[in-house]
Amino acid sequence: MKLCIIGTGYVGLVSGVCFSDLGNDVICVDKDLSKIENLKNGIIPIYEPGLDELVIKNYKNKRLKFSTNLKDSILKSDIIFICVGTPTKKNGNDADLSQVYNVAKEISKLVKKFKIIVTKSTVPVTGGDEIEKIISKKVSKKLFSVVSNPEFLREGEAIRDFYKPDRIIIGTSHKKTNNVLKNLYAPLTSRGAKYINTSRKAAELIKYSSNAFLATKITFINEIANLCEKINVNIEDISIGIGLDKRIGSRFLRAGPAYGGSCFPKDTKALVTTGDKFKTNLTVIKSVIKSNKNRSSLMLKRVFDILKNKINNKNICFLGVTFKANTDDMRDSSCLSMIPALIKKGAKINYFDPTGEKSDFKKFKNVIFSNNIKDAIKKSDLIIIHTEWNDFKTINFKKDVKNKKFSIFDMRNIYSVNKMKDQKIKYFSIGN
Ligand code: UGA
């Protein structure tokens, strides 16, 4: 099939590359010329394991093309995927759909024969109706159909999630369109992926509800971890004990710092706004947002407690500063509030992240990037393990930290409490 993917961000690039790898002819379009030139040269704008090899392979075999020419790309394609960003509005909580609507306007100028327009961007309920309205101002409704096909790709696992999705959601009531998309996804459904056809609005709400539910699950276990810390119970026992109940499920029950990233914070806020718009008070999700906001302050308080409120001149090392492991994404990482708060109190921060130095911290004199773990931790009074990269799982702290009175605050519970006790290391973790 001939596909055009508009927007080479996370969702667009991964989907485009994987669809081409499944045998389709794919043109990935972006208005950012340097990004497109880089992609043609195999330079990938994001860190995503395995993506570069797939880009290079499919670009070489010519199934995958990169272009800045929207018009030409749309005219050559049967299915157009809208994959542009829907960030939170600058002054508000709802999603800013201006990029999606601009693309819809552009598409409306170019449709001459039947096109399927698929929204993969995360668009609030009724977003698809609006896209349809914009296009139908210039094009007969017989010549296009607008579908919602939300994406459930996790950063760092995106390629695996694309090839082995738990489900494929197709929101359309247009039979012919549904059949075409069933065919497009046949290589995945034949390997066991479930294909669910719903109304467009249901598909839009499935996306938001999934992310809000997962955010709720994490927030729930984080709050139970707070209780565990007071009553000397290990949160890992609770996660295992409740997760084995199939109705609950064991995934997304790892207590840690505040959840972050480009999706959960943005989508929970947008869902509450949709609720308000339709006069429905989504109290659970509102509490989740509030609890997660408090979590970074709670983590900071624990750091202050560990250092007995003597922060001035303390050497604090962060291992991992992105919002989670296996990504270079800093969006809504809890480090963005914790690190400035600590330097304000006089701390000296060293950090190491496997994805390199972060521009967010360059403006701070007392925040230094070390390009290896040993250098980062050697002078530390406190080491904060902020993300669970494999690189952080086998560190010989006793040997590599020169300051003998160091402590560790393991926000991802990577290490065993008992083993740390045996080594006489002052070790603090979550929910313990
Ligand atoms: C999330 C969803 O998992 C994807 O299904 C969805 O497609 C994507 O958002 C999106 O809407 O595009 P992602 O933001 O990449 O994916 O990251 P997750 O792996 O879901 O992690 C989100 C946050 O929750 C991170 O801060 C992570 O550290 C935290 N988390 C996750 C926990 O604290 N505990 C857990 O058990 C799991």
Side-chain angles (χ1 to χ4, degrees):
M1 283 183 221
K2 294 188 186 325
L3 316 181
C4 164
I5 310 272
I6 305 175
T8 57
Y10 223 93
V11 168
L13 188 57
V14 172
S15 309
V17 171
C18 292
F19 275 132
S20 72
D21 202 51
L22 289 177
N24 300 287
D25 290 319
V26 178
I27 312 177
C28 288
V29 197
D30 204 295
K31 54 186 181 194
D32 183 337
L33 178 67
S34 69
K35 207 173 179 188
I36 289 297
E37 285 310 312
N38 279 338
L39 282 164
K40 286 179 182 171
N41 290 310
I43 300 166
I44 316 297
I46 48 174
Y47 175 89
E48 182 61 38
L51 187 61
D52 44 359
E53 289 118 76
L54 278 187
V55 168
I56 293 165
K57 174 183 150 200
N58 288 288
Y59 185 67
K60 264 193 191 153
N61 68 28
K62 297 195 168 48
R63 278 203 300 260
L64 179 64
K65 293 196 171 74
F66 296 105
S67 172
T68 51
N69 188 335
L70 186 66
K71 183 177 174 191
D72 195 44
S73 310
I74 288 178
L75 291 176
K76 280 183 184 152
S77 307
D78 307 313
I79 311 178
I80 300 158
F81 287 88
I82 303 178
C83 301
V84 292
T86 54
T88 302
K89 272 186 186 159
K90 285 220 167 68
N91 304 314
N93 284 330
D94 51 342
D96 174 359
L97 298 183
S98 55
Q99 293 184 64
V100 173
Y101 294 155
N102 282 340
V103 167
K105 265 182 218 152
E106 291 303 314
I107 293 174
S108 74
K109 296 176 198 159
L110 300 165
V111 176
K112 304 280 179 258
K113 62 176 189 127
F114 187 77
K115 304 270 180 204
I116 295 175
I117 295 143
V118 182
T119 316
K120 268 198 186 290
S121 300
T122 300
V123 168
V125 181
T126 68
D129 296 352
E130 197 54 40
I131 296 168
E132 190 173 277
K133 222 188 242 158
I134 294 170
I135 300 175
S136 61
K137 278 186 187 155
K138 295 225 154 106
V139 184
S140 154
K141 278 194 180 168
K142 283 186 195 142
L143 278 186
F144 73 98
S145 76
V146 175
V147 183
S148 167
N149 170 212
E151 207 41 79
F152 303 99
L153 308 174
R154 284 164 302 161
E155 293 188 15
E157 316 270 350
I159 292 171
R160 206 181 63 193
D161 285 348
F162 183 93
Y163 284 117
K164 290 193 166 193
D166 291 337
R167 75 300 205 193
I168 293 155
I169 305 288
I170 300 294
T172 179
S173 42
H174 194 272
K175 251 192 174 156
K176 184 177 145 197
T177 298
N178 187 36
N179 285 337
V180 173
L181 292 172
K182 230 183 216 166
N183 257 335
L184 176 69
Y185 280 109
L188 304 183
T189 50
S190 66
R191 284 188 228 152
K194 293 215 165 52
Y195 183 97
I196 315 287
N197 179 209
T198 65
S199 69
R200 191 166 61 207
K201 283 200 283 196
E204 290 165 347
L205 189 53
I206 285 168
K207 169 69 188 185
Y208 280 95
S209 307
S210 298
N211 276 359
F213 189 84
L214 292 170
T216 305
K217 211 173 167 187
I218 297 165
T219 306
F220 174 85
I221 204 68
N222 282 343
E223 289 201 351
I224 297 294
N226 294 344
L227 178 60
C228 286
E229 283 161 20
K230 301 273 165 60
I231 57 176
N232 202 17
V233 166
N234 189 338
I235 188 65
E236 303 299 324
D237 289 340
I238 309 301
S239 294
I240 293 169
I242 66 173
L244 284 170
D245 183 329
K246 287 197 179 69
R247 293 168 303 175
I248 297 174
S250 58
R251 295 171 71 191
F252 277 68
L253 278 183
R254 275 180 294 111
Y259 64 72
S262 66
C263 304
F264 289 176
K266 156 177 94 74
D267 293 349
T268 44
K269 281 190 267 179
L271 184 54
V272 164
T273 307
T274 301
D276 291 346
K277 187 173 156 195
F278 292 98
K279 301 203 172 5
T280 306
N281 192 3
L282 299 174
T283 57
V284 172
I285 305 166
K286 281 182 185 168
S287 303
V288 167
I289 295 170
K290 193 170 164 207
S291 173
N292 195 59
K293 207 168 159 214
N294 289 339
R295 187 137 189 95
S296 293
S297 324
L298 209 77
M299 293 293 103
L300 258 183
K301 190 180 168 301
R302 282 205 68 196
V303 172
F304 293 160
D305 290 347
I306 292 168
L307 292 172
K308 302 197 168 49
N309 278 322
K310 290 185 181 125
I311 312 297
N312 196 30
N313 278 328
K314 284 282 178 337
N315 289 306
I316 302 178
C317 166
F318 276 78
L319 292 179
V321 290
T322 52
F323 80 95
K324 64 169 186 177
N326 298 317
T327 179
D328 59 355
D329 200 338
M330 287 297 293
R331 283 177 287 180
D332 270 297
S333 164
S334 49
C335 280
L336 292 173
S337 60
M338 282 195 289
I339 289 181
L342 289 168
I343 48 173
K344 213 169 158 196
K345 294 255 176 199
K348 292 176 183 159
I349 309 287
N350 249 280
Y351 75 95
F352 169 75
D353 193 284
T355 60
E357 191 170 6
K358 303 297 163 201
S359 57
D360 307 77
F361 301 129
K362 280 191 178 152
K363 57 179 180 261
F364 299 117
K365 197 172 90 227
N366 280 338
V367 182
I368 291 167
F369 172 72
S370 302
N371 58 15
N372 63 71
I373 297 173
K374 281 186 185 173
D375 280 351
I377 64 176
K378 70 182 175 205
K379 283 199 223 147
S380 305
D381 295 297
L382 174 66
I383 297 156
I384 298 177
I385 304 175
H386 180 257
T387 56
E388 67 277 43
W389 285 86
N390 283 338
D391 313 43
F392 305 154
K393 292 181 180 165
T394 51
I395 302 172
N396 188 340
F397 292 102
K398 275 269 177 203
K399 181 167 157 265
D400 293 336
V401 187
K402 304 301 171 205
N403 170 9
K404 290 303 157 210
K405 281 193 189 151
F406 72 96
S407 308
I408 297 173
F409 181 17
D410 180 357
M411 292 189 177
R412 299 286 178 170
N413 293 357
I414 293 178
Y415 287 90
S416 135
V417 180
N418 288 336
K419 279 188 187 156
M420 285 290 168
K421 221 184 239 166
D422 291 348
Q423 291 184 70
K424 298 195 171 45
I425 292 176
K426 268 196 241 153
Y427 175 80
F428 303 85
S429 56
I430 301 283
N432 241 305

